[in-house]
Each structure stands twice: as structure tokens, then as C-alpha cells.
Amino acid sequence: MEIFGIPLLTSMILVPLIGAVITLFMGGSKSKYAVWVASLFSAVTFALACYLLTIDTRTYADLTESYNWIRAAGLVINASFAFDGISALMVFLTGLLVFVVVIFSSGEKDRPNYFFSLLLAMEVGLMGVYLSSDYFLFYIMWEVTLIPMFFMISWYGGPRRHYSAIKFFIYTHVASLIMLIGIFIMVFTAAGTNAIDFSFNAVHKGLAGQDEIFQTLVFGLMFFGFIVKMPIVPLHTWLPDAHVEAPTAGSVLLAGVMLKMGSYGIVRICLWNFKLGAQAWQWIMIALGIISMIYGAYACIAQNDLKKMVAYSSISHMGMVLLGIGCLSEIGIQFAVFQMFAHGLITAVLFMVCGLAGHNIGTREIPLLGGLAGKLPMWSFFMMFGFMASLGLPGLVGFVAEFFILYAFWEFIANTQYMWMIVFGMISMMLTAGYYIWAMQRTLFGDLTDKINLDHVHDINRAEFFALAIMVIMIAFFGIMPSYATQFIDVSAVLVGGL
């Protein structure tokens, strides 16, 4: 399938790449036009992502593209892309969020050509991860995402930006090196005496019949690399620092789609290739998911910085994703993927309103705020909407995802001695409702704050309103009509052979 003579999936990589290069060289007097160029290229990429969702899911098997890349010393490495029911929502979400943050950040004045070039470069890596069907290309694209995010935090972040950027890079890069060891073991074991083929399908076929010990060990290597990226407790400490110091656009992409690379990798690679390994690690996945859910929610209560509170909430919600995956059932995995999508939509709103608090009000410190609903009605509306969506209000997208993950967990433990563990899910949801409602009460209601100067505080502008309105509509639409998203999620591939 081609668009103007260029294969469709290849276009998803080339369009933002070309945009990033053009934007990068728009320095000097041309920098004021960088946002328009970035808007154009991100809009085209988003349009292509939307077009992919109009294609009949029965033809996804035909959506593959491959180019010869490396042929040497028995190596077979292709630049291969594929699109299916595991990657569909993530590709759409990536295109949507990059387009939205470009609009939201249209007022950026500090080296805007570099800023928007970094955003488009991140989109290249993210699309590459979600579309790759070759492990060599997958790993390269995985690393590509780190570089623009590192510079985004280091150049445009807060006072501790350099420390946070280095911490982010060290944690995630070391984890990816361990993941790389797992990839090499998979590929060389699958090859045997044949040519060393890095393609997903060749490795999957070559690993058929491996014993439980091998599967358990290699599953662990890959799993470690992925849960650092999610991140899961106790490997989470890089995330709050990165979020607090990152600019708003960086935080939106980091929480919205970069964290999902970890859970995507578990579903796409670990569950698909290592069914016996998944069974061996099942209770560890469930335990880590529950710990992250409770710890992340409990830590939110202690935060005074709105952005740090939302950062810890991401740890809690990604813990729920891991819980769904750990159930190793069709409904658990399907709604874990849906939760990835839902969380991406919701955190975009949350980090945008937190960023606006810092820029428009001058502080994100909850104790310094109060009574802002009367002063900033539009900003307050979007904050309340985002908080309600994140705590799981029925009718919004977060409720659907969380409900069915807990249902899958209940189905897994029903009629066993572990039925009491469902209480952990209830505790997590109660803590989540508690810290969000408490934060709203202290920030938006009561008497107007007298601890900061509100003379020059202003509500959101038109570009910010447009960006937030898009996300709010998406959250409401997929909350009321979740089938329009779940119809694209096909977990049958990872469940072939039964878990």
C-alpha cells in the first residue's frame, strides 16, 4: 500500500524524519516559522495514522514492508515494518500526541527550531519501535527515542534538568543494554546452524520448542529492560525527576507513549516468544504490578508539586497495565493494551494543565494555590476533567480500562485461595480518587489564594485550548464508545498455543 508512491509504513517514519531535518535548519530569522513546519509534518503523520485505522483489520497481515539492509558474514538484517492489532493504537496515539504537543507548544520562543526538531525526532523513534518487525531495527529505534528526550530535558527543562536528563539516560540505556543481551541470545539460539536472521518471525519460529529454563532466563532479561522503561517499582526512581524537570511537551510524550514502549515490548516479544517463561514469571508480574499500583498511588498523597503527583500516578497506572498482562488471559492482555492507550490520552491532559500552572500561574506547588476555579475557569475545567478521567470516572476512557483489568484479575484468582488479593485493586482505586479529589479541593476551591501574585495570571490561550479540547473529546468518545478502540486490539498472535 502506497501514499504518493511511497509505501505507507515507510512514510510513517520518513515524514517526521524529513520534518525534523527541515525544522533543525530553520535557525535565525526563519525560526519563527519552525512551528508551522512542525505542525504540517506532524499533521501529515497523524493523518496517515488515522488512515491506517480505516483499513480492514483482516488485511493487517498484508501491511508489511521490508528492505534489504545488511547481508554479511551470515547475517540477515532487514529494515522491516509491520502493522497489526498490537501496534495499531500505539501508532495512532503517537501521531495524535506529537501533533497535539506541537500545537500546545506553539508559543515556544527558546530556539524553537531545535525544540520542534526534537519532537519530530522523537516521533521517528517511537513510530519505529511500534512498527519494527526486525530486532536489529527495533533496538536502534528504541535507542533513537532516548537521544531527543535527553536533549529535550537537558536544554529545555527546569533547574535540575542536567541531573534528571543524565539519570533518565543512564537508567533507560543500561536497561536497554540488558535487553540487547536478551535479543542476541534469542537471535543466535533461533538461528542454530542457519543464517542469523533478526526478523521477528524467523526468531519466533527458531525458538519453538525451547525448554522452560531457557525461556525463563531470557524472558527475565527482556522483562528487566522493559519494566525499567514502564517504569515499575523498584526501578522507577528516574521517572519523577525526569517529569518534574522536563518541559510540558517532553512530559506528555514521555508519559503518553514512551513509557508504553516497555509494556508493548512485554506483550509483543516476551509473551509471544516465551509462553513457558511467562507462566514462570506470572506471579512476579502480578506482584510487581500490585506493588506499583499501591506505592504509586500512596506516594501521590505526599506530593506538593502537581507535576510530581501526576508522575507518581503514572507509576500506579502502569502497574495496572502490568497486572493485566500478568493475568495471561485474552481479556487481561487486551485491556492492558487499552489501558496503555487510555493512560496516554489522560496523561496528556494532566501534564498540559500542570505545565500551564507553572507557566501561567508561576507555581505548581499545591499549598500555594487555592480558589483558582473563579480566576481561571477554563484551566480549572480541564484540570478537573483530567483528574476525573484518571481516577476512573464512569463514562470516561480510564474507567473502561481499569474495570476490565480488575475483572480479568478477579477471573484469574476466583475460586482460589488468593481471592482476597482483589482488595489491592480496590485500595489502589480509593487512593487514586483520594489524592485527586484532595488536590482539586486545595487547588481550585475555597478562598482565592493570597500566597502568590495573581495580578498577571491569565487563562489558557486559543492554541492551548485547541490542544486540550482535542484530548478531552478523545477521552470522552473512547469512554462512551470503547469498542471503537478495542476493535483494533488483537492479542490472538501472542496467545497462539495458549498461555
Side-chain angles (χ1 to χ4, degrees):
M1 189 171 295
E2 296 182 348
I3 299 293
F4 300 116
I6 302 174
L8 179 56
L9 302 185
T10 305
S11 300
M12 302 293 292
I13 309 295
L14 285 180
V15 171
L17 178 60
I18 294 170
V21 173
I22 294 174
T23 307
L24 178 64
F25 291 101
M26 296 184 67
S29 61
K30 298 188 293 292
S31 63
K32 61 184 177 181
Y33 301 111
V35 63
W36 294 104
V37 174
S39 297
L40 173 63
F41 280 91
S42 61
V44 171
T45 308
F46 178 47
L48 293 175
C50 293
Y51 176 70
L52 279 170
L53 295 188
T54 66
I55 298 172
D56 191 331
T57 56
R58 292 171 293 183
T59 65
Y60 280 175
D62 300 324
L63 282 174
T64 58
E65 298 166 13
S66 185
Y67 309 92
N68 291 337
W69 191 5
I70 300 174
R71 293 287 190 277
L75 290 175
V76 179
I77 300 176
N78 298 317
S80 300
F81 306 101
F83 181 84
D84 63 12
I86 303 298
S87 59
L89 291 183
M90 293 299 100
V91 170
F92 173 79
L93 183 62
T94 301
L96 170 65
L97 292 190
V98 173
F99 174 62
V100 166
V101 297
V102 167
I103 295 173
F104 182 84
S105 307
S106 58
E108 180 63 44
K109 302 299 182 185
D110 181 12
R111 298 165 292 175
N113 58 317
Y114 291 160
F115 183 87
F116 292 111
S117 181
L118 290 173
L119 290 179
L120 292 173
M122 272 187 269
E123 185 169 30
V124 172
L126 289 163
M127 287 296 187
V129 167
Y130 293 126
L131 292 174
S132 294
S133 60
D134 182 277
Y135 284 107
F136 191 82
L137 180 63
F138 175 84
Y139 182 76
I140 287 177
M141 289 298 186
W142 185 281
E143 295 294 272
V144 163
T145 62
L146 301 184
I147 299 169
M149 182 57 74
F150 172 84
F151 286 111
M152 178 67 72
I153 298 172
S154 186
W155 288 354
Y156 297 92
R160 298 174 71 244
R161 59 188 181 274
H162 300 306
Y163 164 80
S164 299
I166 292 171
K167 187 175 182 180
F168 156 76
F169 191 85
I170 290 174
Y171 264 78
T172 52
H173 182 58
V174 169
S176 67
L177 290 176
I178 295 173
M179 179 184 76
L180 180 62
I181 296 172
I183 289 175
F184 279 137
I185 294 174
M186 289 169 55
V187 171
F188 283 96
T189 301
T193 58
N194 300 320
I196 301 170
D197 191 340
F198 278 75
S199 70
F200 280 14
N201 286 330
V203 172
H204 180 67
K205 292 176 182 176
L207 291 176
Q210 291 295 325
D211 60 33
E212 183 177 355
I213 294 176
F214 173 86
Q215 291 197 30
T216 302
L217 291 176
V218 182
F219 184 103
L221 290 172
M222 303 297 293
F223 182 67
F224 178 85
F226 293 140
I227 63 171
V228 171
K229 194 72 173 184
M230 288 179 70
I232 295 297
V233 175
L235 304 169
H236 67 287
T237 58
W238 64 269
L239 183 69
D241 289 323
H243 271 313
V244 168
E245 301 304 323
T248 300
S251 291
V252 170
L253 293 185
L254 180 60
V257 278
M258 286 190 73
L259 302 188
K260 313 307 183 295
M261 289 164 54
S263 49
Y264 173 82
I266 295 173
V267 175
R268 165 70 70 201
I269 298 173
C270 293
L271 299 191
W272 187 41
N273 291 304
F274 308 114
K275 292 178 170 52
L276 296 178
Q279 292 172 358
W281 281 83
Q282 181 173 25
W283 277 105
I284 296 176
M285 287 192 282
I286 289 173
L288 290 175
I290 289 173
I291 291 169
S292 297
M293 288 165 56
I294 302 295
Y295 173 84
Y298 185 72
C300 286
I301 298 174
Q303 305 309 314
N304 287 327
D305 186 320
L306 278 171
K307 202 173 185 184
K308 201 165 190 177
M309 182 189 76
V310 174
Y312 275 104
S313 77
S314 291
I315 296 171
S316 179
H317 286 95
M318 292 309 292
M320 184 162 285
V321 171
L322 186 59
L323 177 65
I325 294 172
C327 293
L328 300 183
S329 64
E330 183 171 353
I331 190 170
I333 299 170
Q334 183 178 33
F335 281 93
V337 175
F338 186 70
Q339 168 73 344
M340 291 157 54
F341 176 68
H343 180 255
L345 296 176
I346 295 168
T347 52
V349 173
L350 296 178
F351 279 112
M352 283 192 280
V353 296
C354 290
L356 289 171
H359 292 132
N360 296 356
I361 302 172
T363 183
R364 299 190 304 258
E365 293 294 316
I366 298 174
L368 300 180
L369 303 173
L372 292 175
K375 185 73 174 178
L376 305 171
M378 292 308 304
W379 176 82
S380 301
F381 165 77
F382 286 117
M383 171 179 271
M384 287 187 65
F385 191 96
F387 280 9
M388 290 298 181
S390 191
L391 65 81
L393 184 72
L396 302 180
V397 71
F399 169 77
V400 180
E402 293 179 8
F403 177 88
F404 282 101
I405 287 176
L406 290 179
Y407 172 78
F409 183 52
W410 171 253
E411 191 177 55
F412 172 67
I413 60 175
N415 303 317
T416 71
Q417 58 182 323
Y418 304 109
M419 289 177 61
W420 57 270
M421 292 183 68
I422 194 66
V423 73
F424 290 124
M426 301 297 105
I427 291 172
S428 173
M429 296 183 74
M430 288 189 291
L431 288 173
T432 301
Y435 66 73
Y436 275 131
I437 292 173
W438 192 34
M440 281 192 294
Q441 186 271 326
R442 291 183 292 165
T443 303
L444 304 180
F445 304 110
D447 296 329
L448 192 65
T449 181
D450 58 358
K451 298 177 182 178
I452 56 175
N453 183 5
L454 293 175
D455 293 339
H456 302 290
V457 168
H458 59 88
D459 213 338
I460 60 178
N461 61 36
R462 275 185 277 188
E464 293 160 351
F465 175 86
F466 181 68
L468 284 163
I470 290 175
M471 301 313 300
V472 163
I473 291 170
M474 291 285 182
I475 291 168
F477 176 76
F478 288 112
I480 297 170
M481 300 294 295
S483 61
Y484 278 89
T486 56
Q487 66 178 321
F488 299 107
I489 306 172
D490 179 14
V491 299
S492 61
V494 299
L495 291 169
V496 169
L499 285 168

